[in-house]
Amino acid sequence: MPEPRLSFDEYATLVEQSPILIWRADKSGLCDYFNQRWLTFRGRTMEQEAGNGWVEGVHPADYDHCLKIYQENFAKRHAFEMEYRLMRHDYAYRWIFDRGAPFYSSDGDFMGFIGSCVDVTDRVEAQHELAKRTEEEIRHLRGFLPICCNCKKIRDDNGYWQQLEVYIRDHSMAEFSHSICPE
């Protein structure tokens, strides 16, 4: 069965209506194309995003890391993947998973990079929430002390049983003074 050949219009439809954000950079590393999904996501025009205009939307905390990955891989002509926050049209930052790869002419000449991005904010936020809950649970569990119900000694991290006062003194700033209660 022969491979189906797509017309230029069919390719254009695939690129423009694909449910991902698509970009292209020329040999100099400057972006010269963004699909309509990207432009709609950003709420900006092709002219505003072209060149390095798109980086205006990268979150300041992610800017240096994002630029470093892009420039290093572009110079080496290596494919790359990265996550960063990108400002959406409503000024909300969304986590983006960006994958870029070099592309070549039919003669094998390096032409630049093509990239695709997907919004992964829901996944990133779920991971952060899970990490927060896990940390809280670990902090809570660290509060449990294995104590003998008969002699009231505490088992330390090495499995040794210590007097309550010794264990608490070694793990806190508490100091003890002993006396006898009236009972």
Side-chain angles (χ1 to χ4, degrees), residues 5-162:
R5 303 287 291 166
L6 298 176
S7 70
F8 176 80
D9 288 340
E10 290 170 317
Y11 274 112
T13 300
L14 285 172
V15 170
E16 293 303 324
Q17 295 185 19
S18 178
I20 58 175
L21 313 177
I22 297 175
W23 56 268
R24 181 181 68 192
D26 62 22
K27 293 179 193 181
S28 71
L30 297 175
C31 289
D32 61 358
Y33 172 78
F34 298 91
N35 73 344
Q36 190 57 49
R37 297 275 184 193
W38 176 290
L39 298 174
T40 301
F41 177 88
R42 292 279 290 130
R44 291 169 42 113
T45 66
M46 186 73 72
E47 292 74 25
Q48 291 171 314
E49 293 292 275
N52 284 327
W54 70 274
V55 298
E56 294 172 11
V58 175
H59 192 282
D62 301 332
Y63 181 85
D64 290 338
H65 179 70
C66 178
L67 199 57
K68 181 180 183 217
I69 291 172
Y70 179 80
Q71 289 175 337
E72 285 179 0
N73 287 286
F74 197 94
K76 295 175 186 175
R77 298 181 182 169
H78 289 169
F80 65 86
E81 295 178 349
M82 64 178 164
E83 286 185 6
Y84 57 92
R85 288 165 288 183
L86 185 65
M87 187 183 294
R88 194 171 55 186
H89 61 87
D90 60 359
Y91 304 103
Y93 282 102
R94 303 290 293 178
W95 282 99
I96 299 297
F97 175 71
D98 191 342
R99 185 177 282 165
F103 74 98
Y104 300 87
S105 71
S106 58
D107 297 332
D109 295 329
F110 173 69
M111 300 299 293
F113 266 67
I114 295 174
S116 62
C117 305
V118 291
D119 185 334
V120 293
T121 303
D122 293 340
R123 178 188 54 80
V124 169
E125 289 176 351
Q127 286 175 325
H128 287 185
E129 183 61 28
L130 178 60
K132 180 180 160 189
R133 288 184 183 182
T134 301
E135 186 177 307
E136 288 172 0
E137 185 174 341
I138 289 170
R139 192 170 46 251
H140 178 72
L141 291 172
R142 283 186 180 148
F144 285 110
L145 295 175
I147 189 166
C148 175
C149 57
N150 184 38
C151 69
K152 306 300 183 213
K153 287 183 181 178
I154 296 176
R155 188 177 66 231
D156 66 17
D157 294 338
N158 297 319
Y160 297 109
W161 292 93
Q162 296 181 339

